[in-house]
């Protein structure tokens, strides 16, 4: 209802649309279908924490024919959607090869002593990181700004960040185009800033004290103006116009 009071270019669902039951997609996707704007879905760990036989179906329901990571352009901005569930053990049936790969990565970071060593966190394959680098180089070459969406945060390092957040931080900070990383996962919401990049965690609707939590962003050449609704606070995220 809030979104439909505005003329929006698009809406992003940052993940965790359902909890436990695949059948809940029937209700939640029907509600999102009432929005008068394109809706882009991001995979969250709860979306894939369904019974093994429904995990692939859940991805298909959310992504359609898209890969878990993809991009789209509006104006002079490149919007990039990333898939942190690619290395999340919850995303795969326990008898699958990818489950074993994800668990091996989990066991490795556990031995490294990272505070994000939980099976409900995740990370990227080398292929996805290489793809991200290609997207950022394209944005740089076109003098575009880039905004990245993912379910998992990079910062702050509170135990909910991506397993390979430091590698991804190094990559995005090496490109002039990235102005913001916007994510879910931490239900309480959060914010950090590093190297001129804003890291915004949007509050989760399941933990609201009011009747909703969401935000609408007006995009300008030098800033993002977030108007918050319900529990979500408004914020102005300024960035350099120099490439």
């Amino acid at each position: 209802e809030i979104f439909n009071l505005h003329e929006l270019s698009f809406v992003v669902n940052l993940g965790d649309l359902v909890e436990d039951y695949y059948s809940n997609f029937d209700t939640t996707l029907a509600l999102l279908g009432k929005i008068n704007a394109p809706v882009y879905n991001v995979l969250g760990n709860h979306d894939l924490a369904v019974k093994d036989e429904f995990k692939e179906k859940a991805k298909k329901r959310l992504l359609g024919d898209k890969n878990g990571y993809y991009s789209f352009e509006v104006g002079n901005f490149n919007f990039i959607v990333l898939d942190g569930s690619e290395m999340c053990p919850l995303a795969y049936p326990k008898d699958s090869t990818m489950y074993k790969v994800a668990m091996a990565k989990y066991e490795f970071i556990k031995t490294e002593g990272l505070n994000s060593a939980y099976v409900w966190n995740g990370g990227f394959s080398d292929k996805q990181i290489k793809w991200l680098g290609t997207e950022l180089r394209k944005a740089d070459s076109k003098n575009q700004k880039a905004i990245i969406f993912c379910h998992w945060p990079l910062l702050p390092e509170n135990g909910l960040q991506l397993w390979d957040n430091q590698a991804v931080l190094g990559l995005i900070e090496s490109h002039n185009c990235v102005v913001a990383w916007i994510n879910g996962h931490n239900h309480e919401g959060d914010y950090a800033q590093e190297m001129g990049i804003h890291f915004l965690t949007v509050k989760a609707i399941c933990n609201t004290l009011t009747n909703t939590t969401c935000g609408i962003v007006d995009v300008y050449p030098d800033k993002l103006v977030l108007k918050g609704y319900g529990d979500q606070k408004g914020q102005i995220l300024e960035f350099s116009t120099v490439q």
Side-chain angles (χ1 to χ4, degrees):
E1 291 174 352
I2 291 171
F3 292 155
N4 285 342
L5 293 174
H6 301 79
E7 292 185 11
L8 304 179
S9 296
F10 60 89
V11 170
V12 178
N13 154 41
L14 290 166
D16 287 355
L17 197 60
V18 306
E19 171 79 314
D20 295 332
Y21 299 104
Y22 175 77
S23 59
N24 285 341
F25 281 115
D26 295 339
T27 302
T28 52
L29 290 175
L31 288 169
L32 289 186
K34 295 180 179 180
I35 296 173
N36 298 328
V39 177
Y40 295 95
N41 291 305
V42 177
L43 291 171
N45 54 300
H46 286 279
D47 297 317
L48 302 170
V50 293
K51 290 182 179 179
D52 280 2
E53 61 263 37
F54 295 121
K55 292 182 186 293
E56 281 300 321
K57 290 182 178 179
K59 291 181 185 179
K60 186 74 173 176
R61 288 290 296 273
L62 284 170
L63 298 173
D65 294 328
K66 289 195 225 33
N67 191 1
Y69 48 96
Y70 57 94
S71 67
F72 57 96
E73 296 181 7
V74 180
N76 198 41
F77 280 76
N78 187 8
F79 296 94
I80 299 171
V81 176
L82 297 178
D83 180 14
S85 76
E86 189 179 28
M87 285 294 162
C88 177
L90 297 180
Y92 303 103
K94 289 185 172 59
D95 60 354
S96 67
T97 299
M98 279 305 301
Y99 176 80
K100 295 173 184 175
V101 171
M103 282 301 294
K105 186 164 184 175
Y106 161 70
E107 293 295 342
F108 173 76
I109 67 161
K110 198 161 65 166
T111 62
E112 293 287 295
L114 298 184
N115 69 348
S116 58
Y118 296 101
V119 294
W120 56 79
N121 289 329
F124 302 148
S125 65
D126 291 341
K127 180 181 178 182
Q128 186 174 177
I129 292 177
K130 184 178 179 181
W131 176 87
L132 174 60
T134 300
E135 286 294 307
L136 298 180
R137 286 193 297 274
K138 286 180 187 175
D140 280 341
S141 68
K142 294 180 179 180
N143 289 319
Q144 291 178 324
K145 296 298 184 184
I147 296 175
I148 301 174
F149 299 103
C150 185
H151 180 65
W152 284 265
L154 290 186
L155 293 175
E157 293 187 331
N158 53 15
L160 294 171
Q161 72 274 11
L162 282 168
W163 289 341
D164 37 17
N165 72 311
Q166 285 299 322
V168 180
L169 277 169
L171 174 60
I172 68 173
E173 289 175 353
S174 69
H175 291 271
N176 294 325
C177 57
V178 182
V179 298
W181 176 288
I182 302 176
N183 62 270
H185 196 49
N186 181 358
H187 294 181
E188 300 304 316
D190 218 329
Y191 174 76
Q193 185 178 11
E194 182 175 298
M195 298 288 289
I197 300 174
H198 299 278
F199 298 90
L200 174 66
T201 301
V202 177
K203 279 179 170 283
I205 200 166
C206 59
N207 289 79
T208 54
L209 298 175
T210 57
N211 65 345
T212 190
T213 177
C214 63
I216 292 178
V217 178
D218 286 325
V219 180
Y220 295 90
D222 61 345
K223 62 181 175 291
L224 307 176
V225 179
L226 167 65
K227 182 177 182 181
Y229 293 84
D231 286 19
Q232 180 62 48
K233 292 182 180 179
Q235 199 167 350
I236 297 176
L237 310 176
E238 297 179 325
F239 50 84
S240 173
T241 58
V242 178
Q243 284 284 72

